[in-house]
């Protein structure tokens, strides 16, 4: 069973949110690793090789957009699906979003805050069918 | 032609071109000035006559020869002899005396003055009040009114004070009245004695409705269109009932100058009002966006934790219930704090200020947040000064200040813990409360944002109303909030509270 456990990297600067997302995902059989900012997330991708990344948009230092841009431009990580969590869904089309007015790298999915846990689990599961 | 005993210019200058000569000088022939300064024809106001023959040659007009004339011994002699009665200028309509000339100069100076004053003003009502006051004085009118076009169909709207109360008037923008006529035809209208001649030159009508409404009588009326910088009529400026019986050409000229100023002022004031409104809307919209973001964050946590708790209860995993409950608790508290801050921030709901032990209030507030300090590995201490046992303050307000500032300081200390100290001190006429942390500090931009409503400078994600609430409370105490901060070193928030003498009694 442990071999088939999918690993999810959750990236959020709010420690409560990190804990909460882990507590939602872990009992459903996912392995969760966390990062508190975009820079840490890039390091975790290298060392943990996750199957999916949940990325909060609003973060200090490297924000979710920029982190996603970096992930999608690196051959090592561009295959990992990214789900953006955001309070500003208006700025985002389904898989593309603007950085400095330019549509940049793609995220596979986005969820608008407040995120319904059932919806989150459904979206996460859809990547592992 | 009245002969006088006083010397005329040809007598004094001995030019040989007097009235009796073969070829008399124009000054000797100008009968329109006969008697002025006691001379024959223009014999004693020759400087105003073009083409005179003095100094052996024919002179130009007044502008050409004024320099020579003003130094001429005959001019000086006449001025000396006539004293107060001396007349200097002759205009087409007749001759003006020195007093009139001074009055004109005063009018021009006043016009220049008002121009400077008006250009420094943005409030449309203030501009209109200033213009109508000046117009009344300068044209010696009984009343003056600025009417601006508004509405659809457009009417000319003006407001004025009558016997102590403010009256509003709306005049249709059509040719049924002199004012409407001026606006429709983009033309100055000068109405004289309208009750005797209700229809004036150029078919300008006079409408008695205004007089009837205001219980007054118009004997003369000057209505000048006000235009914007594109030349479109935006209103009309009027003056009514000249002290001289009717309005002269000069009055008309001055009012037209005023109309130009009114036009510019109206345009500027309107642009300013639009800019202020747009700014306010942007600020409200930004505030709502900030608040909405905070609420989304809280809702996100509430929805998530309640899911975890429900599922954990179903599965009998009590450790998950406990962990999620702690997160839930924190976010419920954030919401409750926001509600309290909004209430404190509300200027309609002032708090009670009474003498009390300020140190005791500070100590109580600190003890409230002490448990939170422990969970965050922050060492929270107090250093309380003397002389504050009977200081007038709002207990509830100071509680909020301390809790807000200390929790902010905790946030600044994240994630490795740190030190926060709350100090009080009496400094002359004021009490000072200081909250000092050794956290991450703020740059200038973050500091500025932190003090704006609903724009949290806090990276952890505050509601954006905490610090503005502290400012509000400090100001209600006749004091202020000061912030010093160095990135990487920490921040000091200082609340100054004024002594009893500085307090607003209402509070």
């Amino acid at each position: 069973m442990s071999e088939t456990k999918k690993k999810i990297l959750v990236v959020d600067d709010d420690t409560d949110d990190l804990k909460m997302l882990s507590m939602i995902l872990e009992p459903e059989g996912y392995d969760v690793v966390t990062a508190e900012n975009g820079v840490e997330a890039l390091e975790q991708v290298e060392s943990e090789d996750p199957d999916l990344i949940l990325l909060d948009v609003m973060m200090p230092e490297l924000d979710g957009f920029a982190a996603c841009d970096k992930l999608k431009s690196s051959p090592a990580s561009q295959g990992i699906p990214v789900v953006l969590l955001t309070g500003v869904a208006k700025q985002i089309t389904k898989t593309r979003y603007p950085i400095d007015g330019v549509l940049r790298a793609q995220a596979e999915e986005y969820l608008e805050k407040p995120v319904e846990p059932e919806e989150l689990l459904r979206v996460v599961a859809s990547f592992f069918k | 032609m009245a002969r006088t005993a006083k010397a005329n210019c040809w007598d004094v200058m001995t030019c040989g071109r007097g009235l009796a000569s073969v070829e008399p000088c124009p000054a000797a022939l100008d009968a329109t000035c006969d008697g002025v300064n006691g001379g024959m024809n223009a014999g004693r106001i020759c400087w105003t006559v073009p083409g005179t023959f003095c100094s052996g040659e024919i002179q130009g007009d007044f502008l050409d020869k004024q320099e020579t004339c003003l130094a001429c011994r005959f001019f000086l002699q006449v001025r000396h002899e006539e004293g107060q009665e001396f007349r200097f200028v002759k205009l087409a309509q007749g001759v003006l005396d020195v007093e009139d000339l001074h009055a004109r100069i005063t009018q021009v100076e006043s016009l220049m003055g008002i121009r400077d004053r008006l250009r420094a003003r943005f409030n449309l009502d203030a501009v209109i009040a200033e213009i109508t006051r000046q117009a009344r004085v300068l044209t010696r009118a009984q009343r003056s009114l600025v009417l601006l076009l508004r509405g659809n169909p457009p009417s000319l709207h003006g407001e004025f004070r009558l016997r102590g109360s403010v009256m509003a008037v709306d005049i249709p923008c059509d040719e049924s009245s002199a004012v409407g006529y001026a606006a429709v035809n983009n033309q100055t209208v000068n109405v004289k004695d309208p009750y005797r001649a209700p229809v004036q030159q150029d078919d300008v009508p006079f409408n008695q409705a205004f007089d009837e409404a205001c219980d007054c009588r118009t004997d003369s009326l000057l209505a000048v269109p006000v235009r914007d910088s594109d030349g479109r009529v935006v209103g009309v400026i009027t003056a009514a009932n000249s002290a001289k019986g009717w309005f002269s050409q000069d009055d008309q000229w001055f009012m037209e100058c005023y109309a130009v100023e009114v036009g510019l002022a109206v345009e500027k004031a309107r642009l300013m009002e639009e800019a202020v409104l747009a700014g306010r809307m942007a600020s409200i919209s930004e505030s709502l966006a900030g608040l909405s973001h905070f609420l989304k964050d809280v809702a996100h946590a509430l929805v998530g934790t309640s899911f975890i708790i429900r599922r954990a209860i179903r599965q009998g995993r009590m450790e998950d219930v406990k962990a999620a409950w702690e997160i839930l608790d924190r976010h419920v508290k954030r919401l409750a704090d926001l509600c309290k801050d909004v209430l404190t921030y509300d200027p309609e709901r002032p708090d009670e200020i009474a003498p009390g032990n300020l140190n005791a209030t500070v100590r109580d507030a600190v003890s409230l947040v002490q448990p939170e300090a422990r969970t965050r590995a922050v060492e929270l201490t107090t250093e309380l000064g003397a002389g504050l046992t009977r200081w007038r303050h709002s207990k509830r307000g100071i509680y909020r200040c301390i809790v807000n500032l200390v929790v902010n300081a905790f946030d600044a200390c994240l994630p490795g813990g740190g030190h926060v100290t709350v100090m009080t001190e009496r400094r002359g006429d004021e009490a000072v409360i200081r909250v000092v942390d050794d956290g991450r500090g703020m740059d200038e931009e973050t500091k500025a944002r932190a003090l704006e409503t609903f724009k949290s400078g806090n990276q952890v994600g505050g509601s954006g109303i905490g610090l503005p609430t502290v400012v509000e409370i400090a100001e209600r105490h006749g004091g202020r909030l000061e912030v010093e901060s160095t990135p990487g070193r920490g921040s000091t928030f200082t609340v100054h509270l004024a002594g009893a003498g500085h307090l607003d009694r209402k509070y």
Side-chain angles (χ1 to χ4, degrees):
Chain A
M1 179 69 189
S2 65
E3 280 169 15
T4 60
K5 251 191 175 182
K6 297 293 182 190
K7 191 184 276 182
I8 301 174
L9 170 61
V10 182
V11 191
D12 200 314
D13 64 309
D14 185 323
T15 45
D16 272 353
D17 278 2
L18 268 188
K19 197 168 174 187
M20 187 181 79
L21 290 168
S22 307
M23 288 172 73
I24 291 173
L25 293 165
E26 278 168 347
E28 303 296 325
Y30 298 107
D31 195 1
V32 177
V33 288
T34 60
E36 288 188 20
N37 56 56
V39 178
E40 212 178 290
L42 298 178
E43 292 165 7
Q44 289 282 63
V45 167
E46 263 187 41
S47 58
E48 297 286 342
D49 190 24
D51 300 297
L52 177 75
I53 302 168
L54 292 185
L55 197 51
D56 186 41
V57 171
M58 290 281 280
M59 288 187 299
E61 295 172 53
L62 195 61
D63 73 14
F65 289 143
C68 184
D69 190 32
K70 279 194 187 285
L71 289 169
K72 292 297 182 187
S73 55
S74 154
S77 56
Q78 63 189 192
I80 308 173
V82 174
V83 178
L84 285 171
L85 304 182
T86 172
V88 283
K90 257 194 303 188
Q91 295 179 345
I92 301 175
T93 58
K94 187 157 181 170
T95 56
R96 285 171 182 267
Y97 46 88
I99 298 174
D100 301 332
V102 183
L103 288 177
R104 300 285 279 274
Q106 299 179 340
E108 276 66 17
E109 187 59 274
Y110 77 93
L111 288 168
E112 191 183 345
K113 285 184 181 179
V115 176
E116 293 287 343
E118 292 88 347
E119 172 75 356
L120 173 73
L121 290 172
R122 194 189 57 72
V123 167
V124 168
S126 72
F127 287 98
F128 303 124
K129 271 180 185 167
Chain B
M1 211 181 293
R3 290 205 168 273
T4 70
K6 289 181 177 173
N8 293 299
C9 61
W10 50 87
D11 303 324
V12 176
M13 304 301 285
T14 58
C15 59
R17 302 283 298 271
L19 194 61
S21 65
V22 181
E23 201 182 343
C25 167
L29 294 171
D30 188 346
T32 63
C33 292
D34 192 35
V36 173
N37 291 330
M40 179 192 285
N41 290 343
R44 285 173 73 84
I45 188 165
C46 49
W47 49 88
T48 67
V49 181
T52 49
F53 185 84
C54 30
S55 319
E57 53 185 87
I58 295 174
Q59 308 288 308
D61 63 14
F62 181 65
L63 282 177
D64 292 331
K65 65 180 187 173
Q66 58 173 326
E67 221 170 296
T68 328
C69 285
L70 297 185
C72 167
R73 63 189 163 91
F74 178 66
F75 171 82
L76 298 171
Q77 179 187 331
V78 177
R79 196 172 70 176
H80 175 72
E81 285 169 359
E82 299 304 314
Q84 290 287 314
E85 301 296 309
F86 177 68
R87 289 185 173 191
F88 173 61
V89 184
K90 171 201 159 194
L91 292 179
Q93 303 98 311
V95 178
L96 287 171
D97 56 23
V98 175
E99 205 177 306
D100 256 1
L101 185 69
H102 277 305
R104 283 290 177 266
I105 291 169
T106 310
Q107 284 179 325
V108 173
E109 280 174 350
S110 152
L111 189 63
M112 300 307 285
I114 193 175
R115 220 165 88 165
D116 290 342
R117 286 205 298 282
L118 288 180
R119 289 186 175 172
R121 283 194 168 180
F122 291 104
N123 178 314
L124 187 54
D125 290 341
V127 166
I128 288 175
E130 175 90 28
I131 285 173
T132 50
R133 195 178 65 79
Q134 287 291 331
R136 217 166 45 234
V137 172
L138 279 195
T139 60
R140 293 161 74 189
Q142 200 180 52
R143 55 178 197 261
S144 172
L145 188 59
V146 170
L147 301 118
L148 296 178
L149 271 181
R150 69 174 200 189
N152 191 20
S155 66
L156 289 151
H157 177 84
E159 284 174 12
F160 58 100
R161 293 189 78 81
L162 182 73
R163 291 183 277 275
S165 50
V166 177
M167 305 276 288
V169 59
D170 270 294
I171 296 174
C173 188
D174 57 29
E175 293 191 355
S176 65
S177 67
V179 171
Y181 187 95
V184 171
N185 294 290
N186 196 353
Q187 173 188 318
T188 296
V189 168
N190 193 346
V191 176
K192 296 168 190 170
D193 207 354
Y195 282 88
R196 222 178 61 191
V199 175
Q200 306 268 324
Q201 205 182 349
D202 293 333
D203 297 333
V204 175
F206 177 74
N207 191 331
Q208 298 177 10
F210 178 84
D211 281 6
E212 283 161 12
C214 301
D215 192 22
C216 59
R217 184 189 153 96
T218 301
D219 294 319
S220 56
L221 177 71
L222 195 56
V224 181
V226 172
R227 306 172 186 98
D228 65 13
S229 53
D230 294 330
R232 280 188 303 256
V233 175
V234 294
V236 173
I237 178 169
T238 68
N241 291 1
S242 165
K244 295 163 290 184
W246 70 89
F247 291 103
S248 66
Q249 194 65 35
D250 286 339
D251 292 332
Q252 197 168 313
W253 179 74
F254 275 113
M255 286 292 275
E256 281 167 359
C257 291
Y258 274 137
V260 172
E261 294 304 321
V262 177
L264 290 176
V266 166
E267 202 172 357
K268 192 170 66 178
R270 283 191 173 157
L271 285 174
M272 193 65 187
E273 277 172 12
E274 279 168 24
V276 167
L277 188 65
R280 241 179 242 158
M281 291 308 288
S283 163
I284 289 171
S285 144
E286 209 173 324
S287 297
L288 288 179
L291 187 60
S292 152
H293 194 80
F294 171 80
L295 291 176
K296 271 183 184 176
D297 268 359
V298 174
H300 179 65
L302 298 185
V303 169
T305 49
S306 93
F307 170 84
I308 295 166
I309 291 168
R310 269 186 284 117
R311 190 183 54 186
I313 289 174
R314 210 167 50 234
Q315 298 171 351
R317 290 144 43 113
M318 292 319 283
E319 69 282 9
D320 272 12
V321 173
K322 194 166 169 282
W325 202 274
E326 276 171 13
I327 299 175
L328 178 75
D329 240 10
R330 272 199 287 279
H331 284 85
V332 168
K333 192 171 163 294
R334 283 175 81 192
L335 260 189
D337 283 348
L338 172 72
C339 295
K340 283 182 207 148
D341 282 346
V342 169
L343 290 179
T344 314
Y345 196 69
D346 182 0
E348 298 297 312
R349 202 171 171 276
D351 194 8
E352 193 190 336
I353 283 191
N357 188 337
L358 185 64
N359 282 340
T361 305
V362 170
R363 214 179 294 122
D364 287 352
V366 169
S367 70
L368 269 183
V369 281
Q370 200 58 265
E372 178 85 6
R374 280 192 287 273
T375 65
R376 300 205 193 198
V378 173
E379 191 187 340
L380 176 61
T381 52
T382 54
E383 288 175 22
L384 305 176
L388 297 166
T389 46
R390 282 192 60 75
W391 198 266
R392 283 172 66 83
H393 69 282
S394 148
K395 206 169 170 183
R396 204 178 74 196
I398 298 304
Y399 256 58
R400 297 273 356 122
C401 282
I402 305 283
V403 171
N404 280 340
L405 292 177
V406 170
V407 171
N408 276 353
F410 289 168
D411 289 342
C413 289
L414 280 175
H419 299 86
V420 176
T421 309
V422 182
M423 304 173 183
T424 60
E425 184 192 343
R426 176 159 184 180
R427 215 194 268 162
D429 269 356
E430 57 175 28
V432 170
I433 303 172
R434 243 189 237 107
V435 177
V436 185
D437 70 65
D438 58 358
R440 63 169 78 94
M442 295 180 286
D443 57 22
E444 287 301 317
E445 196 189 331
T446 314
K447 205 163 85 177
R449 281 181 65 80
L451 292 167
E452 285 181 59
T453 313
F454 295 127
K455 287 185 201 164
S456 173
N458 178 345
Q459 293 189 330
V460 178
S463 65
I465 198 174
L467 278 186
T469 301
V470 176
V471 173
E472 170 83 18
I473 293 168
E475 284 174 357
R476 283 182 188 175
H477 283 80
R480 65 192 187 281
L481 174 71
E482 276 175 7
V483 187
E484 292 162 62
S485 193
T486 312
R489 288 209 171 162
S491 308
T492 299
F493 288 82
T494 309
V495 180
H496 296 260
L497 305 175
H502 299 276
L503 285 179
D504 176 2
R505 291 192 177 277
K506 275 187 296 183
Y507 193 81

